[in-house]
Amino acid sequence: MSWLQQSYQSLNTPLQGSLWPVVPTREAALALSLLQQMEFAERLAPGTLALQQSVQLSQLVRHAAKTVPFYARRLGAVPSSPQEFSDYWNSVPILSRDELQVAGEKVLSQSPPRGHKLLGTRSTSGSTGMPVKVYTSNVGRLFWMVNTVRAYLWQGWDLNKKLASIRPELESGIGKGVRAGSWGKSSSLITRTGPGVALSVRTPISEQIEWLKNERPDYLLSLPTNLRALREAGADLSSLQGVQTYGELLDDNTKEFVEAGMPWRLFDGYSSQEVGYITLQCEKHSHHVISDCVLLEVVDDNGQPCAPGETGRVVVTTLQNLVAPLIRYAIGDYAVLGQACSCGRSLPVVGRILGRKRNMIKLPDGSSHWPSFPYKDWAEGIAIKQFQLVQSRLDAIEVKIVAAETITTEQEKQMRLGLQARLGFPFEIGFSYVEHIPRSKGGKYEDFVSLVV
């Protein structure tokens, strides 16, 4: 018996006395139907999967050209034949963040298809200095909820157990946390779950550790930098059966540090406020693009497709939000396409997610790259609680440090030489000592930021 078959037996039913076969509520039936279709579609032959996606894409584009003021002139006449549409698609201009910001309500459809409704608005955190308002739909929300459960299933998590979340959205849970009888509406819509508890990420680390000891969860969901802070403070996470990160770039150094000595490996989610889920990680820990919800492209600076292994801009089209579509939207991230995964799913693979352009280091010769500076390579043996590197000029970097004890001139010299070696240029490196390095308005933390335009 599959998990989907078992889940029906745990559903609430609107019909008294109907225990088998269970008659689910309308919303639960929709979610289960979607999940079952996704389970089937993710193992289609690549060509068949691409064809199915193109059917939805062409429908979306024709709808947007006809009913969305912002796209009317931008998209022009949309061809009907598959071959003509393929050529046409490459000529559709890429949507920038500032264009979306200026467009405002012009991205709303004047005639949404039957059943598609405006649900609300959401604002991005504006970590780039350009917050954007996006519009959500009931259909997009349904797909978000189903993909939340889909991620748990791919990870092999037992939904009957206890889930703990330490997250930035939970302002009311600072210091004390909140409790629920389930893992949240997304999960409980489809099946009964174990209990869920949540705490704000802004709760001091020492209090987070105490909270985890008291709650004794089976699974934990949090930001990568928060998990690292927990491990650095001596939190024992070995009793957990699974851990998932989200919301920030999970770099190799953080991943290695957090996983060290643990009986589990981190699962990571890749999503954005504007788009929702973009990839999910399978049991092999590959990032699969959820092609039933988004079309993901990785393109070079000229808008041309990158080959696997080449770094490019992430451009995303939302396939299910017909209320306020995002078509060829450059979300600001860079990534590398990967090879097919051995898990058996034919969904495309993102080999590596590199992060925002503002997290790239820029060199005086005009080149740029994502910096790697493992702590052990430049500050081994130095008592640092937290740090952040800020590139203020092409030839200068400020290192903000929260120190556990006084750092000597000799130790500063060690750090300066170590960083210059790791970063590949003799930057002028200065140090400033602070009591705390705050997260962004969205609750995220970046260990490297470039202010060089």
Side-chain angles (χ1 to χ4, degrees):
M1 183 182 290
S2 72
W3 182 90
L4 282 171
Q5 289 171 315
Q6 293 177 27
S7 70
Y8 278 95
Q9 299 178 0
S10 299
L11 285 171
N12 292 319
T13 175
L15 300 182
Q16 261 189 333
S18 296
L19 302 179
W20 184 86
V22 172
V23 180
T25 63
R26 179 181 179 275
E27 194 174 16
L30 286 172
L32 282 163
S33 172
L34 273 177
L35 194 54
Q36 200 160 27
Q37 290 180 72
M38 290 171 171
E39 190 178 67
F40 172 77
E42 65 196 29
R43 296 181 186 273
L44 290 171
T48 304
L49 180 67
L51 178 61
Q52 294 289 81
Q53 187 185 55
S54 69
V55 169
Q56 180 64 26
L57 176 64
S58 59
Q59 160 71 18
L60 170 81
V61 174
R62 283 193 293 271
H63 163 74
K66 185 178 180 181
T67 74
V68 181
F70 177 76
Y71 289 114
R73 183 181 300 177
R74 191 180 186 89
L75 295 175
V78 183
S80 55
S81 78
Q83 181 55 47
E84 288 180 342
F85 184 84
S86 178
D87 296 336
Y88 158 84
W89 180 250
N90 292 326
S91 69
V92 173
I94 291 173
L95 174 62
S96 68
R97 188 180 179 92
D98 56 346
E99 286 177 314
L100 180 60
Q101 187 182 43
V102 171
E105 293 186 357
K106 291 180 181 179
V107 299
L108 287 170
S109 171
Q110 300 302 296
S111 180
R114 180 168 54 86
H116 292 255
K117 299 177 182 178
L118 176 64
L119 192 63
T121 61
R122 181 187 297 127
S123 293
T124 65
S125 62
S127 60
T128 61
M130 294 171 55
V132 169
K133 179 187 288 187
V134 291
Y135 301 87
T136 59
S137 73
N138 59 328
V139 175
R141 172 65 176 168
L142 177 62
F143 273 82
W144 171 276
M145 294 170 71
V146 171
N147 277 305
T148 297
V149 178
R150 191 183 192 181
Y152 296 147
L153 297 181
W154 283 20
Q155 294 165 191
W157 287 13
D158 183 349
L159 276 74
N160 293 305
K161 296 189 175 180
K162 187 175 184 178
L163 173 68
S165 302
I166 304 176
R167 45 199 318 153
E169 308 96 307
L170 197 66
E171 294 293 344
S172 62
I174 297 176
K176 57 183 180 180
V178 295
R179 304 183 159 278
S182 71
W183 287 19
K185 185 177 180 181
S186 299
S187 305
S188 58
L189 174 64
I190 292 176
T191 186
R192 289 195 179 97
T193 71
V197 292
L199 187 71
S200 171
V201 75
R202 292 180 173 86
T203 302
I205 291 296
S206 59
E207 294 179 28
Q208 290 187 34
I209 293 174
E210 192 63 28
W211 181 79
L212 288 169
K213 284 180 181 177
N214 294 333
E215 294 293 348
R216 302 178 63 186
D218 299 289
Y219 302 108
L220 176 61
L221 172 68
S222 194
L223 303 174
T225 52
N226 192 66
L227 288 168
R228 179 170 191 126
L230 285 168
R231 291 299 316 273
E232 288 174 340
D236 182 5
L237 305 180
S238 60
S239 63
L240 293 168
Q241 297 178 35
V243 180
Q244 179 185 333
T245 57
Y246 81 107
E248 295 173 337
L249 175 67
L250 176 62
D251 63 84
D252 292 340
N253 299 319
T254 298
K255 178 175 167 55
E256 180 182 338
F257 181 85
V258 173
E259 289 179 338
M262 293 295 103
W264 39 260
R265 289 182 60 197
L266 287 172
F267 284 98
D268 186 37
Y270 178 40
S271 62
S272 78
Q273 288 281 357
E274 305 98 302
V275 177
Y277 285 104
I278 299 172
T279 73
L280 300 177
Q281 272 198 319
C282 69
E283 61 273 19
K284 302 289 186 181
H285 293 265
S286 295
H287 275 278
H288 289 273
V289 181
I290 49 171
S291 300
D292 34 38
C293 297
V294 299
L295 169 65
L296 181 143
E297 303 172 78
V298 178
V299 302
D300 61 22
D301 290 339
N302 297 316
Q304 298 302 306
C306 291
E310 294 180 347
T311 299
R313 293 185 293 161
V314 175
V315 174
V316 178
T317 300
T318 56
L319 297 177
Q320 304 301 337
N321 187 351
L322 276 73
V323 170
L326 292 179
I327 298 176
R328 302 204 81 192
Y329 175 53
I331 64 176
D333 286 339
Y334 284 71
V336 179
L337 290 175
Q339 303 294 334
C341 178
S342 62
C343 72
R345 294 177 179 85
S346 53
L347 298 169
V349 173
V350 175
R352 194 176 176 202
I353 301 160
L354 297 166
R356 302 272 167 166
K357 190 171 184 178
R358 80 191 231 109
N359 301 124
M360 294 177 72
I361 193 168
K362 298 173 177 62
L363 300 179
D365 65 3
S367 63
S368 58
H369 62 85
W370 272 268
S372 173
F373 42 94
Y375 175 82
K376 63 182 180 181
D377 287 354
W378 60 277
E380 184 74 32
I382 301 175
I384 293 178
K385 292 182 178 180
Q386 188 183 21
F387 66 87
Q388 182 183 61
L389 273 61
V390 179
Q391 184 175 15
S392 55
R393 305 194 313 263
L394 275 176
D395 61 349
I397 288 176
E398 177 192 7
V399 184
K400 297 180 179 179
I401 292 177
V402 180
E405 57 187 45
T406 302
I407 292 177
T408 66
T409 302
E410 189 60 34
Q411 288 174 322
E412 284 189 352
K413 180 180 178 181
Q414 172 192 333
M415 292 190 291
R416 183 175 291 108
L417 292 174
L419 282 171
Q420 289 171 339
R422 284 297 309 180
L423 299 176
F425 184 79
F427 288 99
E428 177 186 321
I429 295 177
F431 299 93
S432 61
Y433 298 93
V434 296
E435 293 185 0
H436 178 62
I437 300 175
R439 295 178 179 274
S440 69
K441 291 181 181 179
K444 299 178 183 180
Y445 172 76
E446 300 165 305
D447 61 6
F448 184 92
V449 177
S450 176
L451 303 180
V452 179
V453 179

